[in-house]
Amino acid sequence: MSEPESPRPSDPTPSGPGGDGTAISRFPVPPREDLPADLRERFADVEERSGFLPNVFAALSWRPAEAGAFFAMHDALMDKETAALSKADRELIVVATSAANDCLYCVVAHGAVARIRARDPYVADQVAVDWRKAPLSPRMLAVLEVAVRLAVEPGAVRAEDLAGLREHGLTEDDVWDVGAIVSFFALSNRLAHWAAIPPNPEFFLMGRVPRA
């Protein structure tokens, strides 16, 4: 999978340099002070917890109402755990399906979160390259098989696929969450491609080395 390409002369001039000076979007990136208070507060909280602002936040902020809805949907799907789907499991769904959709930003960013939540410095890379060979439970292998199918060939998903997830112990809510996570991040993948959002350099080492 390749880096988002550099803007060609025919592209609109991108806005908003990231921490390393590269443009973070093909679209306008407004100054922080021009954003609604709720987005400013969220951005400040993310920066305080992680030490930097992920590029997707700034890249989406030029459409504040959509950005707010995007982050709310993200939180509803990803900031919870059930017996069958941990927060780490949810991140691995994102990694596997984003890899299938060739989305570098989401693979790198959510791979970093997956490493931290799984307390495993290797699993996200294994899932991104070939989830079938990753050292996962039969339950998660079944989840990723259906998730990737929905991501790349949605018309091929059948009732039997969902029934198989239930046989692995997923509840109705869990089964819905699998589909909703895949669907939501299909949107995220495509927006990242559309705007050519590069992953922050900080993501590449997160969860690989001990924090200072």
Side-chain angles (χ1 to χ4, degrees):
M1 181 162 63
S2 61
E3 286 273 348
E5 62 186 67
S6 299
R8 296 180 294 274
S10 58
D11 286 329
T13 301
S15 300
D20 62 353
T22 59
I24 62 173
S25 179
R26 290 173 172 147
F27 294 86
V29 177
R32 183 80 62 92
E33 59 269 20
D34 292 348
L35 299 179
D38 59 334
L39 284 184
R40 294 199 309 271
E41 291 169 6
R42 184 182 181 103
F43 288 12
D45 179 63
V46 169
E47 283 181 322
E48 183 177 354
R49 287 186 287 109
S50 64
F52 67 100
L53 184 71
N55 287 339
V56 70
F57 285 79
L60 296 181
S61 68
W62 80 294
R63 304 278 288 246
E66 293 167 26
F70 181 95
F71 298 134
M73 185 71 168
H74 171 279
D75 294 351
L77 291 172
M78 305 301 289
D79 288 350
K80 65 178 177 181
E81 291 196 313
T82 65
L85 284 179
S86 68
K87 290 183 179 180
D89 294 336
R90 293 165 192 268
E91 296 295 339
L92 291 179
I93 293 171
V94 179
V95 172
T97 58
S98 296
N101 283 325
D102 297 322
C103 182
L104 179 62
Y105 183 90
C106 291
V107 170
V108 172
H110 290 274
V113 180
R115 289 191 296 271
I116 292 169
R117 290 186 167 173
R119 295 182 174 84
D120 185 331
Y122 310 114
V123 67
D125 293 336
Q126 293 167 316
V127 167
V129 173
D130 188 351
W131 59 267
R132 300 168 190 83
K133 296 183 177 68
L136 301 172
S137 67
R139 172 184 53 79
M140 270 308 292
L141 289 172
V143 167
L144 294 185
E145 181 176 5
V146 177
V148 171
R149 184 174 303 139
L150 178 61
V152 300
E153 196 178 3
V157 176
R158 298 289 183 263
E160 292 79 6
D161 296 315
L162 279 64
L165 297 182
R166 298 181 186 104
E167 291 172 3
H168 278 280
L170 277 70
T171 66
E172 290 298 285
D173 279 337
D174 293 330
V175 172
W176 179 269
D177 279 352
V178 171
I181 290 167
V182 174
S183 302
F184 175 74
F185 280 95
L187 165 67
S188 183
N189 296 160
R190 284 152 180 79
L191 287 175
H193 281 300
W194 194 241
I197 306 172
N200 300 66
E202 291 91 342
F203 281 129
F204 289 92
L205 290 182
M206 286 173 59
R208 300 187 193 277
V209 296
R211 297 183 67 174

